[in-house]
């Protein structure tokens, strides 16, 4: 989910949230959708080749006479691939503070910096034990755990997220005592540099996503590795 915060005509702050649709993810997954480099608001469905068959993709829009017309998605307005989401802020927002009124350190933004287990180790060791849930409530921390190749957290992260949302410290403690987290604690106790991507990476020149070195196309936008 992407949230944009900007001023509006009433000189107040307004928030807009959106995410890509399932159709967009399917087009990217099948490597048939490309960005238009000179027009950020447009995408382009690839043509079929000897190596890959690409089915025709269409979208509908109103013409200048108000009629609904069907057009081929070459090009395709990006707005057809996005879903608008409701967004807002809590009336009485409160960010947990560590002892002494100091805010917990912020975890680096994923897919924008090269992250490895040493980065997580440094972050995690700075958190007091009693703030276990707070230290893992950062969305970037959760994403790091979800995409980390060292351990498989996919099946247990749902329980952790539920504990964070409900501020259920008993459930958080149960997660901390789980075999998977105990294994992570053992890894953090070793002075090694285990990378989250299990190898070198490259940054997409279009969307800046950090991709694994074995990928020849960006997993987000399909741009070839340069």
């Amino acid at each position: 989910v992407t949230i944009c915060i900007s001023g509006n005509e009433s000189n107040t702050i307004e928030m807009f949230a959106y995410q890509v649709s399932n159709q967009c993810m399917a087009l990217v997954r099948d490597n048939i959708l490309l960005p238009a480099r000179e027009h950020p608001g447009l995408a382009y469905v690839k043509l079929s080749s000897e190596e890959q068959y690409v089915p025709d993709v269409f979208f509908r829009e109103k013409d200048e006479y108000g009629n609904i017309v069907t057009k081929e998605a070459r090009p395709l307005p990006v707005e057809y691939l996005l879903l608008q989401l409701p967004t807002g802020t809590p009336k009485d927002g409160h960010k947990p503070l560590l002892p002494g009124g100091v805010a917990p350190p912020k975890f680096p933004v994923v897919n924008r910096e090269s992250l490895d287990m040493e980065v997580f180790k440094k972050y995690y060791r700075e958190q007091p034990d009693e703030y276990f849930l707070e230290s893992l409530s950062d969305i970037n921390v959760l994403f790091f755990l979800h995409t980390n190749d060292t351990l498989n957290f996919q099946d247990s992260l749902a329980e952790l997220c539920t504990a964070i949302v409900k501020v259920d410290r008993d459930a958080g403690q149960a997660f901390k005592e789980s075999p998977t987290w105990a294994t992570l604690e053992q890894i953090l106790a070793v002075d090694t540099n285990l990378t989250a991507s299990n190898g070198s990476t490259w940054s997409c020149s279009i969307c800046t996503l950090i991709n694994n070195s074995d990928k020849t196309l960006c997993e987000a936008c399909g741009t070839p590795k340069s």
Side-chain angles (χ1 to χ4, degrees):
V1 177
T2 299
I3 300 178
C4 299
I5 303 177
S6 178
N8 57 23
E9 297 178 353
S10 302
N11 296 323
T12 58
I13 299 298
E14 194 166 0
M15 303 176 65
F16 304 91
Y18 63 90
Q19 69 179 28
V20 298
S21 64
N22 290 335
Q23 292 86 346
C24 177
M25 291 191 291
L27 292 173
V28 173
R29 179 200 63 206
D30 295 335
N31 190 28
I32 63 176
L33 187 67
L34 297 175
R37 291 179 180 271
E38 298 181 358
H39 300 280
L42 297 175
Y44 192 88
V45 174
K46 294 169 55 175
L47 296 172
S48 294
S49 63
E50 294 182 357
E51 294 78 19
Q52 181 183 18
Y53 168 73
V54 179
D56 291 330
V57 179
F58 300 92
F59 68 96
R60 292 181 177 181
E61 68 176 3
K62 285 186 178 181
D63 61 15
E64 62 270 25
Y65 305 106
N67 300 316
I68 302 296
V69 295
T70 300
K71 292 186 175 182
E72 194 174 16
R74 298 186 180 100
L76 171 66
V78 172
E79 61 191 49
Y80 283 85
L81 304 174
L82 302 178
L83 300 174
Q84 291 187 345
L85 303 174
T87 185
T89 56
K91 184 176 180 181
D92 299 317
H94 173 69
K95 184 176 181 61
L97 298 178
L98 299 182
V102 179
K106 186 177 180 181
F107 193 74
V109 178
V110 295
N111 289 337
R112 294 298 180 270
E113 301 181 44
S114 179
L115 302 180
D116 54 33
M117 196 61 73
E118 285 297 318
V119 174
F120 179 78
K121 175 181 178 179
K122 181 178 183 299
Y123 169 84
Y124 182 66
R125 292 307 183 203
E126 293 176 350
Q127 317 302 319
D129 290 341
E130 62 268 25
Y131 279 83
F132 177 75
L133 279 183
E134 285 79 0
S135 65
L136 299 185
S137 63
D138 190 313
I139 186 62
N140 295 295
V141 174
L142 294 173
F143 190 81
F144 174 82
L145 294 175
H146 178 72
T147 56
N148 185 267
D149 293 335
T150 305
L151 293 171
N152 182 11
F153 280 102
Q154 282 82 351
D155 296 335
S156 56
L157 273 186
E159 300 174 3
L160 174 61
C161 292
T162 300
I164 292 173
V165 171
K166 296 182 177 180
V167 197
D168 188 340
R169 301 195 180 279
D170 291 335
Q173 184 62 30
F175 178 84
K176 188 176 181 181
E177 295 173 356
S178 66
T180 304
W181 192 262
T183 302
L184 177 60
E185 291 274 11
Q186 291 295 324
I187 293 175
L188 296 180
V190 179
D191 292 330
T192 56
N193 188 16
L194 302 175
T195 62
S197 60
N198 197 24
S200 58
T201 60
W202 59 276
S203 176
C204 176
S205 60
I206 298 299
C207 70
T208 73
L209 178 74
I210 300 298
N211 296 272
N212 289 341
S213 59
D214 60 339
K215 302 295 183 181
T216 58
L217 298 174
C218 177
E219 293 187 285
C221 66
T223 300
K225 180 180 180 180
S226 58

